[in-house]
Amino acid sequence: MHEPAPPPVLIIDDEQHLRITASQTLELAGYAPLAHASAEAALEALAQDFPGVVVSDIRMPGMDGMALLREVRRRDPDLPVILITGHGDISTAVEAMREGAWDFLEKPFAGERLVEMVRRGVEKRRLSLENRELKAELEAQQSAPGPRLVGRTGVMQRLASMVQRISQVEADVLLFGETGAGKDLVARSLHERSARSGRPFVAINCGAVPESIIESELFGHEKGAFTGAVERRIGKFEHANGGTVFLDEIESMPLALQVKLLRVLQERCIERLGANEPVALDIRVIAATKVDLKAASEAGEFREDLYYRLNVVTLPIPPLRERREDIPLLFQHFAVVAANRSGLEAPPVDNAGMSVLLAHDWPGNVRELRNLAERYVLLGATCDYRLDALLEGIEPGPGDMALPQQVELFEKSLISQSLASHRGRIPEVCEHLGLPRKTLYDKLKKYALKADDYRQAAP
């Protein structure tokens, strides 16, 4: 079995007996100590994305521990640095913490305290590097133009491929998906990737506009067309000329207005209320619904002829529970966006938090996940960054998984993240996960994961 490499610990102290003692203590605890007699030598050996922590005495000839701390922070502010201070030197310890030290040890110290501090620092470093890898993957996914369809699962890759293909043709599109699944994002993606991207994208929520004014909102009106119409008004369709109209919740459109919409789709023209002359339109219509329009038409709740006119190209949007492996990447994406907007830091998610995310049923889909990520950034510190505390009060859904399913999903997610981080390089994934090559290949087959897919995703 190929054992994973022990986490490295850079030890810097000009006193040889202290270097030897600290190295022996950490080696017995399962770490890989790398001892140096000077800060200058240690910095030469400090590789980029060093996966461990730095432990350094403060008082040394040449570059002292404080100068070392500042240089390490300049190179990588996420790398934990533990400084060793003299007995009773409180002012130095306070200054070290202000400068960004992870923690400090006061001489003399017990070996157990050193090991515990290093353990916490290594775990923090692991989470920081995973956070960094997720950000890099997000940046790679976001290199495409238009709104981002974030996800690596098969269903999302197929959706992204369909969006790219359909965006290049002029057909109207019907989007079908649950509330919060991302229908508006897909609609914007279709528009931004099309030849109409430089023209207006006009979104209309058919369920939010009062029935008494929806016709005027869509088609506009002439001055004097009805009481209160004191001037001509251009409707949403006419305003979108040359671009795209997005009709969200189209199942909520009144039946009487559906007749006029059918005419617009067939003839590509509208008449403002109170006008006699038609206005020609050059638009693409994207409609979205969360209900089965065919069943609604059979029940007399939606016009059958309009359903068949809209149903030229239908794109199903998968619910979040059908692409759970995308949850870590999506959550990170939303957390980074929320952090940038609020000026806060997006804290990493540990294994316990990831288990909470993967086990939840997400009845509100991506919208619910985004809201949780925003709460995690804004309020997480008050709950000690515990995702289960932020989700508290949400009743489990009927689709919640049994424990064996949760374990398998968590395992698949970890393997997928490791493949992404190491660009599909099997030896590195084996080392990172601590798995023999044969075991990893068995699991790849079990979860239908292919290393080649992650190599192709490399920038």
Side-chain angles (χ1 to χ4, degrees), residues 344-347 373-387 389-390:
L344 300 173
E345 182 180 354
E374 291 176 352
R375 290 202 302 275
Y376 185 61
V377 171
L378 298 174
L379 305 176
T382 63
C383 301
D384 196 24
Y385 295 119
R386 286 179 53 215
L387 283 165
L390 294 175

Side-chain angles (χ1 to χ4, degrees), residues 155-166:
V155 290
M156 282 306 293
Q157 289 178 353
R158 287 191 293 273
L159 177 60
S161 176
M162 288 296 292
V163 166
Q164 182 60 34
R165 186 182 310 170
I166 295 170

Side-chain angles (χ1 to χ4, degrees), residues 37-60:
S38 70
E40 292 86 351
L43 286 172
E44 287 183 9
L46 185 62
Q48 186 177 5
D49 290 335
F50 181 72
V53 299
V54 176
V55 179
S56 174
D57 194 10
I58 286 186
R59 303 193 182 280
M60 297 183 294

Side-chain angles (χ1 to χ4, degrees), residues 137-160:
E137 186 174 353
L138 281 169
E139 289 173 0
Q141 290 211 4
Q142 292 174 352
S143 61
R148 318 305 179 199
L149 297 178
V150 178
R152 300 187 61 105
T153 52
V155 290
M156 282 306 293
Q157 289 178 353
R158 287 191 293 273
L159 177 60

Side-chain angles (χ1 to χ4, degrees), residues 211-225:
E211 187 172 345
S212 59
I213 64 169
I214 190 170
E215 188 172 355
S216 173
E217 282 289 310
L218 296 186
F219 306 136
H221 61 255
E222 296 288 347
K223 179 179 179 181

Side-chain angles (χ1 to χ4, degrees), residues 85-105:
T85 67
H87 176 65
D89 198 354
I90 300 299
S91 61
T92 304
V94 171
E95 183 186 359
M97 298 303 286
R98 284 177 179 166
E99 292 281 350
W102 163 247
D103 213 330
F104 70 92
L105 280 167

Side-chain angles (χ1 to χ4, degrees), residues 348-387:
V349 181
D350 59 17
N351 288 346
M354 196 61 66
S355 296
V356 170
L357 292 177
L358 292 171
H360 187 56
D361 197 45
W362 303 109
N365 290 295
V366 177
R367 184 180 298 147
E368 182 185 1
L369 181 67
R370 181 185 63 213
N371 291 342
L372 177 67
E374 291 176 352
R375 290 202 302 275
Y376 185 61
V377 171
L378 298 174
L379 305 176
T382 63
C383 301
D384 196 24
Y385 295 119
R386 286 179 53 215
L387 283 165

